[in-house]
């Protein structure tokens, strides 16, 4: 299912799939969460996957002040995880 939240005035889109320990899957530059299409089916049987579209990618909006700084993108992902998960989680990318 597709969700979104607002960070610094930008819409950040994400999906959640599966159940179990939480894993944040981060795609690379120029991609979106669909890059994990082949892994989702197998992984969602064992974990809860959080699949964001990084700012400026996929369904997430492009705001130059977020997209031009890696530290601000990291803060956006931190805000996302505070919204969807209060427990420890893994990050894979």
């Amino acid at each position: 299912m597709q969700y979104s939240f607002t960070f610094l005035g930008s819409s950040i889109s994400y999906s959640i799939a599966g159940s179990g320990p939480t894993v944040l899957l981060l795609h690379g530059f120029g991609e979106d969460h669909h890059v994990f299409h082949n892994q989702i089916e197998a992984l969602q049987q064992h974990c809860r996957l959080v699949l964001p579209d990084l700012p400026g990618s996929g369904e997430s909006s492009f705001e130059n002040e977020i997209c031009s700084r890696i530290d601000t993108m990291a803060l956006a992902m931190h805000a996302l995880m505070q919204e969807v998960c209060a427990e420890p989680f893994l990050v894979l990318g």
Side-chain angles (χ1 to χ4, degrees):
M1 178 169 245
Q2 198 74 18
Y3 303 95
S4 67
F5 81 106
T6 301
F7 177 77
L8 296 178
S10 294
S11 176
I12 307 296
S13 179
Y14 65 96
S15 298
I16 295 179
S19 62
T22 302
V23 177
L24 172 64
L25 292 177
L26 294 178
H27 62 79
F29 180 74
E31 301 172 332
D32 64 21
H33 78 275
H34 291 102
V35 72
F36 295 110
H37 175 77
N38 292 328
Q39 291 79 22
I40 292 170
E41 187 174 333
L43 291 174
Q44 72 181 352
Q45 298 174 31
H46 307 284
C47 14
R48 178 177 179 239
L49 303 173
V50 179
L51 301 132
D53 286 340
L54 291 171
S57 300
E59 298 296 318
S60 293
S61 63
F62 177 86
E63 297 296 335
N64 195 41
E65 69 267 7
I66 295 175
C67 298
S68 64
R69 295 187 50 132
I70 193 71
D71 58 336
T72 310
M73 283 189 162
L75 290 172
M77 293 301 98
H78 181 259
L80 166 64
M81 295 312 288
Q82 286 183 319
E83 179 155 316
V84 301
C85 171
E87 61 193 41
F89 59 91
L90 293 173
V91 178
L92 297 175

